[in-house]
Amino acid sequence: MARVYAYDGVVPVVDPTAFVHPEAVLIGDAHVGAGAYVGPGAILRGDFGRVVVGANANLQETCVMHAFPNKDVVIEERGHVGHGAVLHGCRVGENAMVGMNAVIMDDVVIGAESIVAALAFVKAGMQIPPRSMVVGMPAKMIRELTEDEVAWKSQGTAVYTRLAAEAGGKLVACDPLPRAEEGRKRVEAPAYDPKYLATPQK
């Protein structure tokens, strides 16, 4: 389990079906929903306001979630937040994606099924309609997403949902080998399998 800290008597909450990496940090009023994935080095800092990773959402490596005082920062169900992104006092809508190293500022709402490009800087207060493609520094909405793009994004998030279910049984602390074994096996990424994702997991 992650490094977990109560703050002023408020203890983080993690659903038993979520996967939270042991090197993630959860502080105070942080919530991780069912089937969610939280990667190594991610920080959920719930000392100013509530921090929520919704059901089947993912928060990848070295991401930071923190709230403006007395506000919340939320990733809704099936939200997808790429490596190194920073979320501050904002809301990422259902099945929306925030790209790698993007920064989303206070009072921003990312509409459902939108994609925010890698390295985008989304200014405070911006309201992004559902199914938008958002790029740039500062970020701008450039067009509506196609059905194929929404499907592609949804499949990518579904792979992380499966990873959350499998990682707890596969991740084992160990010492490194001095050299690679002959015929060394390769790690295979979880396959996108809609049948698997439609079946309730234990």
Side-chain angles (χ1 to χ4, degrees):
M1 178 47 74
R3 289 176 284 168
V4 179
Y5 302 92
Y7 188 84
D8 197 23
V10 179
V11 178
V13 176
V14 178
D15 186 278
T17 63
F19 174 79
V20 180
H21 191 277
E23 295 300 322
V25 178
L26 278 61
I27 299 170
D29 198 6
H31 299 252
V32 180
Y37 173 91
V38 177
I43 299 173
L44 286 73
R45 189 178 144 204
D47 53 0
F48 282 5
R50 181 164 292 170
V51 175
V52 179
V53 178
N56 298 315
N58 65 80
L59 184 72
Q60 297 172 19
E61 293 71 25
T62 70
C63 290
V64 176
M65 292 180 74
H66 190 237
F68 192 82
N70 301 314
K71 295 193 175 184
D72 299 342
V73 55
V74 176
I75 305 169
E76 294 183 13
E77 185 172 350
R78 293 182 298 134
H80 184 108
V81 180
H83 318 287
V86 176
L87 307 181
H88 204 274
C90 61
R91 177 173 289 270
V92 176
E94 184 174 348
N95 199 29
M97 183 175 87
V98 174
M100 293 181 279
N101 290 308
V103 176
I104 316 297
M105 293 300 295
D106 300 294
D107 295 320
V108 169
V109 176
I110 308 292
E113 299 185 323
S114 291
I115 294 176
V116 177
L119 295 172
F121 177 77
V122 184
K123 294 189 294 186
M126 191 170 180
Q127 306 294 295
I128 296 170
R131 292 195 163 202
S132 297
M133 173 66 79
V134 178
V135 302
M137 300 175 70
K140 295 179 181 174
M141 180 199 158
I142 58 169
R143 62 177 174 81
E144 187 172 332
L145 293 174
T146 67
E147 291 291 336
D148 286 347
E149 288 168 329
V150 172
W152 169 84
K153 179 260 164 279
S154 300
Q155 289 181 12
T157 301
V159 169
Y160 267 91
T161 301
R162 183 161 185 171
L163 177 63
E166 295 178 353
K170 293 182 176 181
L171 184 73
V172 178
C174 63
D175 294 321
L177 299 172
R179 64 193 60 82
E181 319 94 300
E182 188 172 343
R184 179 179 175 87
K185 101 178 227 190
R186 297 182 66 91
V187 173
E188 294 185 15
Y192 170 63
D193 181 355
K195 295 186 295 297
Y196 171 89
L197 293 164
T199 304
Q201 305 302 311
K202 296 180 180 179

